[in-house]
Amino acid sequence: MTGQAAHQQELRVVVADDQAAVREPLAAVLALSEGIEVVAAAANGAEVLTAVAAGPVDVVLMDLRMPVMDGIEATRRLTEEHPEVAVVVLTTFADDDSILGALGAGARGYLTKNAGRQDITRAIRAAAAGQSVLDREVQDRLLATVRVKAPAPDRALPEDLTPREREVLALIGQGLPNRGIAERLFISEATVKTHINNLFAKAGIRDRPDAVRRAIASGLA
């Protein structure tokens, strides 16, 4: 692979955090990660929108509590105006309102600031590929919230879901990532992705958090 080809495959990332003491070291660390280019650093949501408009940008690593425009509003604006740009939330907050607000606004990933560099880079790459990544604490909170708020079980899933697709949906509902599902079912991650794509299309599931809700509402999780 030539240097030019490698450069073309780099993911272009904007790092957003209102604290320079967090933003600048994080941008510097990510810039050292293979396949990632930090193209801008922003101190608030308005600066994120400006950076994305100047683009091109693949992923925004978004803090939530920022002045001028917070991360949830910035995520909502990006989802509406630049749907090709993925948002991964990186925040100290893991309360229900923050999690549901960010995911509802269109964030594809949600990490707390306890996440290490490998976790963050993995989430960035997954989001760029259209996948959702939630860290364990966030998964647990989301599952607990959905179970409390879920109505009486609705078991109406499409009849053409295969038994394996139902198994995969059940494991998503339990919070397992693709690798965990593959290990549980003794299949490859590529096969897991195929099953997920098929069941999402058949059941009209939008994303991973929506799949968790459907699994619980359908009595699979």
Side-chain angles (χ1 to χ4, degrees):
M1 180 182 294
T2 66
Q4 181 178 4
H7 179 74
Q8 289 175 345
Q9 293 183 10
E10 286 187 336
L11 294 175
R12 295 155 297 203
V13 176
V14 172
V15 175
D17 196 294
D18 64 323
Q19 298 182 36
V22 174
R23 181 177 67 247
E24 293 173 2
L26 180 57
V29 167
L30 288 178
L32 297 175
S33 301
E34 184 177 356
I36 292 178
E37 177 187 4
V38 177
V39 296
N44 57 63
E47 291 185 8
V48 169
L49 296 179
T50 299
V52 170
V57 173
D58 298 303
V59 180
V60 175
L61 192 62
M62 184 85 76
D63 188 23
L64 289 185
R65 307 289 174 89
M66 297 184 291
V68 183
M69 181 187 295
D70 66 26
I72 290 177
E73 178 59 24
T75 299
R76 184 176 295 110
R77 291 276 299 275
L78 285 174
T79 300
E80 293 173 354
E81 300 170 14
H82 301 278
E84 74 284 0
V85 177
V87 174
V88 174
V89 170
L90 180 65
T91 180
T92 57
F93 302 97
D95 58 281
D96 294 348
D97 288 343
S98 296
I99 294 169
L100 295 175
L103 296 178
R108 291 187 194 165
Y110 198 114
L111 303 176
T112 64
K113 288 182 178 176
N114 293 326
R117 187 180 76 169
Q118 289 186 340
D119 296 323
I120 295 171
T121 56
R122 188 181 303 117
I124 288 172
R125 295 187 179 105
Q131 302 170 13
S132 296
V133 175
L134 309 175
D135 74 14
R136 176 57 61 181
E137 179 182 359
V138 172
Q139 286 180 354
D140 291 344
R141 290 297 297 267
L142 181 60
L143 287 169
T145 300
V146 172
R147 287 193 174 103
V148 168
K149 295 183 178 180
D154 172 13
R155 299 185 181 277
L157 286 171
E159 293 183 0
D160 59 345
L161 281 188
T162 67
R164 181 64 90 189
E165 288 164 357
R166 288 176 179 270
E167 284 183 302
V168 170
L169 181 57
L171 294 174
I172 290 175
Q174 294 173 27
L176 269 67
N178 287 1
R179 179 177 298 178
I181 294 172
E183 292 173 352
R184 182 75 62 86
L185 298 179
F186 301 101
I187 58 179
S188 69
E189 284 190 65
T191 301
V192 171
K193 291 177 183 178
T194 298
H195 288 313
I196 289 174
N197 289 338
N198 289 341
L199 75 88
F200 275 30
K202 291 177 182 178
I205 295 173
R206 298 186 305 274
D207 50 30
R208 198 105 178 177
D210 189 32
V212 172
R213 289 190 287 267
R214 288 293 297 277
I216 293 171
S218 300
L220 292 178

